[in-house]
Amino acid sequence: MTSIVQGFTKSLAMTILSEIGDKTFFAAAILAMRHPRRLVLSGCLAALIVMTILSALVGWAAPNLISRTWTHHITTLLFLGFGLWSLKDALLEEGDTEELAEVEAKLDKDWKASNGATKNSNKDDDDTKKHKQSFLSQFFSPIFLQAFSITFFGEWGDKSQLATIGLAADENPLGVVLGGILGQALCTSAAVIGGKSLASQISEKIIALSGGILFIVFGIQSFLSPVES
């Protein structure tokens, strides 16, 4: 039980500090301004839950493929490396709104292209289709799929995904999954509800600095802790 709680708390803290101010956080905030919030929230959360479970499974399988000693040392190096990377970003980044503007510009471009492609569609047909849509088809609407794909591929290979793999290799995977999902739900809900106004007020430097310190603390703790046989 102690190992689950430890994995849960570590994963929760790491996820919150990794995801706030991340590209997927900004994407969720901007998408929620243009589309129904429930579809954006469900699409983003579905992608993050799938990614968290997949990452934890990879981390859980790693000690069964290579020795636990090696996975422990690799995890330690990952945490220390991500900590230094985050601190570098915090100290060298010039503007807090640069990433938000970059994400918004990309989504604007995609939205204009999509809007232009469907501009000449028949409005009466659209109204008829809306009445015929089942709950399942609404759930897997283009908006849901857009939010899912943007979030899923935005997180693929991201620092938070690799950190989740490392954490699951060193801690209880169930605790890591539960903490990760709760952290993702809190961050994504805040982004969707708060929208761009909240996203623009977040200091990326402070978040990166806090995340860097947390990763280094995890790395030092991992380095000092004995390898479980």
Side-chain angles (χ1 to χ4, degrees), residues 29-43:
I30 295 168
L31 285 172
M33 294 172 59
R34 302 172 179 172
H35 305 294
R37 289 178 176 177
R38 63 183 180 83
L39 289 176
V40 174
L41 180 61
S42 58

Side-chain angles (χ1 to χ4, degrees), residues 126-194:
D126 288 342
D127 291 338
T128 304
K129 287 177 183 177
K130 284 179 184 177
H131 291 295
K132 292 181 178 179
Q133 278 184 326
S134 65
F135 173 76
L136 190 63
S137 63
Q138 287 182 16
F139 192 71
F140 289 101
S141 70
I143 298 169
F144 174 90
L145 295 175
Q146 182 188 24
F148 183 95
S149 60
I150 288 174
T151 305
F152 187 85
F153 293 110
E155 286 293 311
W156 190 264
D158 189 63
K159 180 169 54 180
S160 58
Q161 186 204 14
L162 298 176
T164 301
I165 293 173
L167 197 60
D170 218 32
E171 301 289 344
N172 186 287
L174 178 59
V176 172
V177 168
L178 295 176
I181 289 176
L182 178 59
Q184 302 283 13
L186 292 173
C187 292
T188 308
S189 298
V192 169
I193 295 170

Side-chain angles (χ1 to χ4, degrees), residues 3-30:
S3 63
I4 294 178
V5 173
Q6 184 169 309
F8 174 85
T9 52
K10 279 188 174 184
S11 181
L12 178 62
M14 180 198 72
T15 300
I16 290 175
L17 288 177
S18 296
E19 292 303 319
I20 291 182
D22 189 53
K23 284 186 178 181
T24 52
F25 180 90
F26 292 140
I30 295 168

